[in-house]
Amino acid sequence: MIELVIDQRRKDLGGFEVGRVLPYAKRRMVGPFVFFDHMGPVDMPAGIPKTVDVRPHPHIGISTLTYLFDGEITHRDSLGVQQDIRPAEVNWMTAGSGVTHSERFERARMEGLRLEGIQAWVALPNGQEEIDPSFQHVVPGDLPTWIENGVKGRLVAGETMGMKAGVSTFSPLHYMHLELEPGARFQTPTDHAESAVYVVQGLVEIDDGRPVGHGQMAVLSKGSPSVIHALQPTTIMVLGGEPVGERFIEWNFVSSSQDRIEQAKADWRAGRMKLPDMDDQEFIPLPPDRTPPPPPMS
């Protein structure tokens, strides 16, 4: 059954829009998923200005998970990694004690392309928020796939339904990309305490016939499976996992401690966080402080 439906909120990032789903006032997290942005779809013409790029910026306390349906993004980080990400691949960057990175649209600038994808942030569990930063690029061959009864599926991260993706996660979770033919049905897994369904495109009914369409996330009731019924060709993401406890989030920083976030802000403001090796000529300044600090999320 559906507990809550969240509509994406359009956010202008200075060159293209994203649909922000998490965090949401009435549901800040789903399992360890603390942030969920639907990028595009947007047609980027050749010659787009560099102002469209996401300049170097910092993170702590999370892993970022970038997954594309169309297009290409060039990732550079302070670990010395430069990696292009393309459709059906996974960029999994663990910030831990602190990392900086940029996201550039260099192929679009040269050739023009259509961009669409999801960026999610996965909060690190207690005791591992300050682990050393790391980066994984996972190719489609390391992501389990299946086709059954009108459902084409890929396990993007985590473990469920007897499958495990080739991504080193830090807490129990599942994250799936499903393409459903009209009339196809899929029963959501119950491996983990919390789960949700996000409709990238198309239209589904869930359990009691409630429609959920493009740009909406249905947060599911705990403990029982839900049946997703596609009413038209539909693409969905199924996500879930075990809660990791309350988290504060401010700008790009996530932590169980507000003091730790204040320290990260001070470090970025003072230039104490190393910029990406191959992209160190500019950065995004720290936004003005909020008053009062945001409440913790759970």
Side-chain angles (χ1 to χ4, degrees), residues 2 58 60 63 65 146 148 157 161 166-167 183 191 239 251 261 265 269 272:
I2 294 175
I60 63 166
S63 295
L65 196 171
W146 72 97
E148 185 177 8
M161 296 166 51
V167 178
D191 309 70
L239 59 146
W251 193 40
I261 288 181
K265 289 162 59 179
R269 189 184 293 115
R272 290 191 290 263

Side-chain angles (χ1 to χ4, degrees), residues 92 144 155-160 163-167 169 171-175 192:
W92 177 275
L155 181 61
V156 175
E159 188 171 359
T160 191
M163 300 176 292
K164 185 175 183 178
V167 178
T169 58
S171 64
L173 63 89
H174 62 263
Y175 189 47
H192 304 121

Side-chain angles (χ1 to χ4, degrees), residues 198-210:
Y198 177 74
V199 179
V200 177
Q201 61 180 9
L203 182 67
V204 299
E205 287 182 342
I206 298 180
D207 291 333
D208 60 2
R210 182 171 180 177

Side-chain angles (χ1 to χ4, degrees), residues 185-241:
R185 296 177 183 269
F186 177 79
Q187 182 171 291
T188 60
T190 56
D191 309 70
H192 304 121
E194 298 182 354
S195 61
V197 175
Y198 177 74
V199 179
V200 177
Q201 61 180 9
L203 182 67
V204 299
E205 287 182 342
I206 298 180
D207 291 333
D208 60 2
R210 182 171 180 177
V212 182
H214 165 73
Q216 293 185 309
M217 176 180 285
V219 180
L220 305 178
S221 300
K222 298 179 181 180
S224 59
S226 289
V227 175
I228 302 165
H229 176 210
L231 303 180
Q232 54 186 251
T234 298
T235 299
I236 62 173
M237 305 300 287
V238 179
L239 59 146

Side-chain angles (χ1 to χ4, degrees), residues 54-218:
V54 182
R55 294 170 293 158
H57 59 281
H59 293 287
I60 63 166
I62 57 170
S63 295
T64 64
L65 196 171
T66 305
Y67 183 79
L68 299 182
F69 308 111
D70 286 299
E72 182 176 302
I73 298 174
T74 298
H75 162 100
R76 296 186 179 96
D77 65 37
S78 53
L79 301 172
V81 174
Q82 175 172 309
Q83 177 66 58
D84 294 329
I85 180 172
R86 302 177 180 91
E89 301 174 345
V90 174
N91 271 9
W92 177 275
M93 182 185 72
T94 297
S97 60
V99 76
T100 68
H101 75 129
S102 63
E103 294 157 305
R104 304 284 188 178
F105 304 108
E106 296 182 350
R107 184 178 168 198
R109 187 164 294 113
M110 291 186 295
E111 305 173 8
L113 55 72
R114 183 175 178 83
L115 177 74
E116 184 174 18
I118 304 287
Q119 185 170 92
W121 296 356
V122 181
L124 292 169
N126 293 336
Q128 298 192 69
E129 293 179 88
E130 297 295 324
I131 60 174
D132 291 339
S134 61
F135 180 87
Q136 298 177 73
H137 177 76
V138 183
V139 298
D142 291 328
L143 303 174
T145 60
W146 72 97
I147 300 176
E148 185 177 8
N149 299 325
V151 177
K152 180 180 179 181
R154 174 179 291 112
L155 181 61
V156 175
E159 188 171 359
T160 191
M161 296 166 51
M163 300 176 292
K164 185 175 183 178
V167 178
S168 297
T169 58
F170 296 91
S171 64
L173 63 89
H174 62 263
Y175 189 47
M176 291 182 281
H177 168 202
L178 303 181
E179 297 178 3
L180 293 82
E181 298 176 358
R185 296 177 183 269
F186 177 79
Q187 182 171 291
T188 60
T190 56
D191 309 70
H192 304 121
E194 298 182 354
S195 61
V197 175
Y198 177 74
V199 179
V200 177
Q201 61 180 9
L203 182 67
V204 299
E205 287 182 342
I206 298 180
D207 291 333
D208 60 2
R210 182 171 180 177
V212 182
H214 165 73
Q216 293 185 309
M217 176 180 285

